[in-house]
Amino acid sequence: MQKKLLGAKQEQILTEWNLAKDCLRGCEVWQFDQRETIITQGGLFDRLLIVLAGKAKVCTLADNGKNLVLAYYISDGIIGDMEFAMNKDEAATTMVALSNFQCIALPILPNETYLRQNTLFLNQMAKGLAEKLLLSSENFLSAAFYPGKQRLCGYILQSAYKNFFTDNLTDVAATIGMSYRHMFRLLNDLITDGILLKVAGGYEIIQPVQLKQFANGYLS
């Protein structure tokens, strides 16, 4: 992870969240490489992370040791809102960068009074929490009712960044509710059909329109 001071662009993002830079202390820009862990479930969580760019997967560790992916972030949103709302200083999930990832790290302790008294910020954060709840519900229903190929194609589209898909395939199978063998066979079918191309580090989406057609119904 690399750290740097806020610039004019980052200050503008704070304004969009109804946050005044002059009222905040200790803010930094954090930059993560692809596949780097951003936060770890059960670890200390003492900062809110406002997403600037990139994509990351958010997952929770199940009792069987497998990761269940909960959501994706694309250059917006706030990480740690649930812990902040519940007054928890322990991360509830694990977050891993799927691409180069950049965010504003906002220390909670020195800024807590200002944040909790900022009604506009709290309302915006609550809206984001509601959207995450809706997305999690939709993902659960999709895993329960849509065919395997449809679920896999929808997952690839959700997680891809700039038409490139890379992820832990064991986690993918667990998240979309199928065996690794079945998921891998469907993935190979997409390669054979020319929808995907296997490249170093992942898969390139060659025919995004057709992939979206296969996922129709999964993505709304």
Side-chain angles (χ1 to χ4, degrees), residues 6 26 30 38 40 43 52 77 82-83 94 123 149 174:
L6 270 64
W30 287 3
I38 300 169
T40 302
L52 296 173
M82 182 174 67
E83 290 87 347
T94 293
N123 287 342
K149 184 176 182 179

Side-chain angles (χ1 to χ4, degrees), residues 23 47 68 72 108 110-111 118 122 179 215 219:
C23 296
R47 286 170 169 77
L68 177 64
Y72 285 85
I108 294 174
N111 298 298
N118 188 331
L122 292 177
S179 69
L219 298 175

Side-chain angles (χ1 to χ4, degrees), residues 4-14 21 29 104:
K4 65 179 184 180
L5 298 177
L6 270 64
K9 182 178 179 180
Q10 291 81 34
E11 292 179 17
Q12 177 60 36
I13 298 297
L14 289 176
K21 178 181 178 295
V29 176
I104 297 174

